[in-house]
Amino acid sequence: MKNARPTRGGFFQRDRTWHPPAFAPGYRSTVVRSPQRAPLSFGNTLSEITGPVFGHSMLGELDNDLILNYAKPGESAIGPRIVVYGQVLDENARPVPNVLLEFWQANAGGRYRHKKDGYLAPLDPNFGGCGRTITDEDGHYSFRTVMPGAYPWPNGINDWRPAHIHFAVFGHGFVQRLITQMYFEGDPMIAKCPIVRTIPDERAIQSLIAALDMEATIPMDARAYKFDIVLRGRRSTLFENKLEGN
Amino acid sequence: MKGQTLTRLKESASQTAGPYVHIGLTPNFCGITGVYPEDLGIRMVNEKTKGERITVKLRLIDGTGSVTKDALIEIWQADADGLYNSPDEPRGKADPNFTGWGRQPSDPETGVFTFETVKPGRVPFMDGRMQAPHISLWIAARGINIGLQSRLYFGDEEQANAEDPVLSRLEHPSRAATLIAQRDGNTYSLDIHLQGEKETVFFDV
Ligand SMILES: [Fe+2]
């Protein structure tokens, strides 16, 4: 037996008091889209423990550069240039290597490249708004983009989203799948946002706010924000029933 | 007196995928072309994939009875022999011509999500009993604060469904019907209801 505790069991139960509840009427869209009955729980089977794996070879050279990945040759997206970097960890504080991160955002004016977005702020012809990367052996990732703008949205009569970047993260198991949003340190709009406020615990909100890191800037190019992401942790297999069966 | 502390972290809090989830996850579908060669997850099978070819058609219906048009669904399933295409699959090597993972937006007009896949084989429960063939579902959309987990079972697997360890945990067995897709030719169809009389059984697993 190896010294390190094996990590091939089921995942820790999700703390549903930490995540936003399904029904959160301050965010009006949840009212008709929130399940109302108690969910069904059972111990993880291989269907939950396994998940798709993506190789670094699927990535294009500019996948993690939103300033250039939609821009015409020789041009680039408009807006404050930033690098977002961090580490994907699990609840055991272990790095999660080789997992796909996908991100999307509005442009510097707060406008999405989407036919349903009718905000006055103009599209940037050189900004698409999507990117992706895969964590390295130590769970680290980074990408370059422009700072997204805040934007108004139909909820209350005067609700605005703080500047944010949407993240979709794969873990190693399908039930680690997580979508969240990254906010920016110091933004006074965070505390006013009905979507942020669906999260009941102040500490959980704080963990979604990226820190400005002046030591990680690219001099004369881009400032840096650090955003770590934590996925569900995994149990040791030591005392669990055999999965193979039969 | 304070004792030792655990060094565990808390999972990052979920936030809704919002109305523009397709920009990030299926950009070609929403007109953002030239960034990725194709949308990830739209093809699960190729001409060499083993097993019975099936089409899975899903709709996602909100509490007003309207079919949603802005959601995204991912599916994860075993291959025809019941093996997952994952390094954590301990029982053998899955069909290399089957990804097991699919991701689709719904049709903008009809709201139907269409997956071209194969019928999965059976996978054991923790105690070794075999589960009925099933597909795991994960649903993200505006108004959904944390991705919804569920499963799809197959209407023509009555015997296997009757002995399935997950379906048999349902407090009200009649709700199993919310997870069982009905077969017509090679197509299985299932409506996922977010609320109401026919609310789908969602999972916390
Ligand atoms: Fe957004």
Side-chain angles (χ1 to χ4, degrees):
Chain A
M1 192 153 121
K2 287 184 298 187
N3 283 327
R5 301 180 70 217
T7 54
R8 284 290 178 259
F11 293 98
F12 299 163
Q13 181 169 318
R14 246 182 183 142
D15 181 352
R16 298 276 167 176
T17 65
W18 180 258
H19 289 287
F23 178 76
Y27 171 27
R28 294 180 187 175
S29 295
T30 67
V31 173
V32 296
R33 291 185 168 197
S34 45
Q36 293 167 337
R37 305 202 192 205
L40 180 70
S41 288
F42 51 89
N44 288 172
T45 74
L46 283 171
S47 306
E48 288 74 42
I49 289 165
T50 60
V53 171
F54 304 96
H56 292 262
S57 61
M58 75 167 224
L59 296 175
E61 207 184 330
L62 296 178
D63 282 6
N64 68 343
D65 189 346
L66 284 71
I67 289 181
L68 294 181
N69 71 11
Y70 192 77
K72 295 177 199 71
E75 299 186 12
S76 61
I78 291 171
R81 298 158 69 88
I82 59 171
V83 168
V84 177
Y85 80 95
Q87 194 177 21
V88 180
L89 301 157
D90 69 14
E91 289 171 298
N92 290 311
R94 287 195 182 95
V96 186
N98 304 316
V99 291
L100 178 66
L101 269 67
E102 298 165 290
F103 15 88
W104 67 103
Q105 64 170 87
N107 69 22
R111 173 81 181 268
Y112 282 98
R113 184 170 287 283
H114 194 283
K115 65 176 192 298
K116 291 267 174 64
D117 187 358
Y119 183 34
L120 293 169
L123 287 170
D124 175 348
N126 289 310
F127 189 72
C130 62
R132 62 186 179 186
T133 188
I134 293 177
T135 60
D136 70 12
E137 286 306 311
D138 298 315
H140 294 289
Y141 75 92
S142 69
F143 61 96
R144 189 170 71 159
T145 186
V146 294
M147 183 96 160
Y151 59 84
W153 59 297
N155 189 60
I157 55 169
N158 189 27
D159 282 326
W160 291 69
R161 295 304 324 281
H164 62 277
I165 299 176
H166 297 264
F167 278 73
V169 190
F170 285 87
H172 294 146
F174 195 54
V175 296
Q176 278 180 301
R177 198 84 175 87
L178 181 72
I179 283 189
T180 190
Q181 300 184 28
M182 179 195 114
Y183 304 100
F184 293 85
E185 178 187 345
D187 185 348
M189 302 303 291
I190 296 170
K192 301 180 196 298
C193 174
I195 287 178
V196 171
R197 287 158 70 161
T198 60
I199 301 174
D201 192 310
E202 187 64 31
R203 294 166 302 164
I205 294 173
Q206 282 162 8
S207 72
L208 300 184
I209 302 174
L212 174 67
D213 183 358
M214 292 303 290
E215 309 309 326
T217 56
I218 307 174
M220 306 308 286
D221 177 347
R223 288 174 300 157
Y225 282 88
K226 174 174 173 284
F227 184 59
D228 291 340
I229 296 164
V230 180
L231 300 179
R232 291 172 72 181
R234 202 162 194 178
R235 292 181 180 282
S236 149
T237 50
L238 286 176
F239 305 108
E240 284 189 332
N241 287 328
K242 223 162 131 264
L243 277 165
E244 286 79 0
N246 289 349
Chain B
M1 206 180 292
K2 192 148 165 47
Q4 297 189 4
T5 50
L6 299 172
T7 53
R8 295 239 161 78
L9 306 174
K10 294 293 281 186
E11 186 185 14
S12 297
S14 176
Q15 291 269 261
T16 180
Y20 307 123
V21 59
H22 300 133
I23 293 177
L25 304 188
T26 54
N28 289 286
F29 164 77
C30 65
I32 299 174
T33 54
V35 181
Y36 310 142
E38 69 175 16
D39 290 333
L40 199 62
I42 56 162
R43 279 184 298 122
M44 301 176 70
V45 296
N46 63 35
E47 57 291 340
K48 289 188 247 158
T49 306
K50 289 184 285 185
E52 182 190 356
R53 298 302 173 97
I54 60 169
T55 302
V56 171
K57 288 188 181 286
L58 307 172
R59 296 191 305 167
L60 181 68
I61 297 169
D62 73 14
T64 70
S66 308
V67 178
T68 65
K69 305 275 173 68
D70 59 0
L72 177 112
I73 296 183
E74 293 185 4
I75 69 174
W76 174 242
Q77 64 165 94
D79 70 8
D81 293 329
L83 295 171
Y84 283 101
N85 189 350
S86 159
D88 290 326
E89 170 57 82
R91 298 166 301 153
K93 181 116 179 59
D95 181 355
N97 293 301
F98 182 61
T99 68
W101 176 74
R103 174 158 78 183
Q104 294 287 344
S106 63
D107 179 275
E109 307 299 324
T110 63
V112 175
F113 299 84
T114 303
F115 295 88
E116 301 296 340
T117 183
V118 295
K119 194 160 178 193
R122 297 178 75 169
V123 176
F125 199 56
M126 292 97 71
D127 57 12
R129 280 183 293 164
M130 291 309 270
Q131 305 182 84
H134 62 272
I135 295 177
S136 296
L137 309 176
W138 184 77
I139 302 158
R142 170 180 66 84
I144 293 176
N145 280 335
I146 181 163
L148 295 172
Q149 306 164 323
S150 188
R151 281 185 180 182
L152 175 149
Y153 286 86
F154 297 89
D156 55 346
E157 295 283 346
E158 277 154 22
Q159 184 59 42
N161 291 343
E163 62 191 31
D164 181 77
V166 170
L167 292 178
S168 64
R169 288 177 78 98
L170 289 168
E171 215 170 318
H172 298 287
S174 63
R175 293 192 68 210
T178 69
L179 302 180
I180 299 175
Q182 295 309 322
R183 182 168 196 155
D184 181 9
N186 288 325
T187 299
Y188 291 88
S189 300
L190 181 66
D191 281 349
I192 299 162
H193 291 266
L194 291 167
Q195 292 179 350
E197 200 78 337
K198 290 187 268 185
E199 183 177 311
T200 293
V201 177
F202 295 102
F203 297 173
D204 180 15
V205 287

